[in-house]
Amino acid sequence: MVCNRCILVVQQEIERLQLTAKTIKLGEIYFESPLTASQKTALNNALTPLGFELIDDKKSKVIEKIKNTIIDLVHYQDGEIKHNLSDILSRELGHDYNYLSNVFSEVEGTTIEKYHIAQKIERVKELLVYDELSLSEIAYRLNYSSVAYLSNQFKKVTGLTPSHFKQIKEDKRKPLDQV
């Protein structure tokens, strides 16, 4: 789950299956009591067509938490990040950053840093399309050290400058779960 609408959809399916969730948040569901095998199967069958999957193994859970933490930082806490990503992830997930980095790279085939950059670039695209902020305001909001650094990273990832991206007005954005 990568957004509040995702949580709402999952919550509706849980209610439809008459299951009782204690809490539902990005990427995590805690139930009042453990699910039976048939309840897990029913939930999986309900969620899979909607683009969700149940994650049970430890590595997958860690990766999902890493992704959700990064998405939350980039898309919902503009300008509030004042610590290193490695420190934030270590604190939030309760693991050494080297462990998190190795697990993420092993399973995802990319680094946490590249995933973080991809999320930031998607956020920049979103803000450019909205056309409400200047590039320097976007750079500040996403904690770039300068507009030049943001522009260089944007061009490296997209092949376009931010101003050219803004001009073409094509739908060049990706859904968060496809980044």
Side-chain angles (χ1 to χ4, degrees):
M1 295 179 283
V2 295
C3 68
N4 290 332
R5 280 174 281 191
C6 295
I7 292 171
L8 182 62
V9 169
V10 169
Q11 186 172 9
Q12 289 171 345
E13 288 301 311
I14 288 170
E15 288 170 3
R16 189 180 64 75
L17 294 169
Q18 298 178 338
L19 301 172
T20 308
K22 188 190 257 183
T23 58
I24 303 174
K25 50 188 183 175
L26 292 178
E28 298 176 20
I29 305 169
Y30 296 98
F31 290 95
E32 294 286 332
S33 57
L35 297 180
T36 65
S38 63
Q39 287 174 321
K40 278 185 184 178
T41 301
L43 183 59
N44 191 46
N45 290 341
L47 295 178
T48 300
L50 300 172
F52 299 105
E53 63 181 309
L54 296 183
I55 299 173
D56 273 341
D57 69 277
K58 186 179 178 185
K59 282 184 181 180
S60 295
K61 286 180 183 179
V62 168
I63 290 166
E64 190 68 17
K65 285 182 179 182
I66 291 169
K67 287 181 175 183
N68 286 329
T69 301
I70 290 171
I71 288 169
D72 184 53
L73 289 171
V74 172
H75 295 275
Y76 303 109
Q77 296 183 23
D78 291 341
E80 296 178 23
I81 305 168
K82 300 300 178 205
H83 294 83
N84 290 337
L85 179 63
S86 58
D87 293 340
I88 293 169
L89 290 173
S90 292
R91 185 182 68 241
E92 290 287 320
L93 279 76
H95 290 286
D96 177 64
Y97 183 74
N98 287 331
Y99 168 76
L100 298 174
S101 179
N102 289 335
V103 167
F104 192 90
S105 297
E106 173 189 322
V107 175
E108 292 294 310
T110 188
T111 65
I112 290 174
E113 291 80 12
K114 286 183 181 177
Y115 182 79
H116 184 232
I117 289 167
Q119 288 296 331
K120 286 176 78 169
I121 296 303
E122 285 306 311
R123 180 70 172 141
V124 171
K125 289 179 185 178
E126 179 183 358
L127 294 171
L128 287 171
V129 168
Y130 289 161
D131 202 22
E132 295 174 357
L133 301 172
S134 69
L135 198 54
S136 60
E137 290 171 318
I138 293 171
Y140 175 79
R141 212 176 241 206
L142 293 174
N143 296 304
Y144 280 96
S145 56
S146 68
V147 173
Y149 182 58
L150 164 61
S151 296
N152 287 338
Q153 196 171 69
F154 190 92
K155 183 163 182 153
K156 193 181 291 183
V157 172
T158 66
L160 304 168
T161 65
S163 56
H164 186 231
F165 175 84
K166 203 172 178 178
Q167 287 173 353
I168 57 175
K169 296 287 185 196
E170 285 182 28
D171 188 20
K172 297 276 187 185
R173 294 183 51 217
K174 298 178 189 174
L176 294 182
D177 61 342
Q178 293 180 12
V179 174

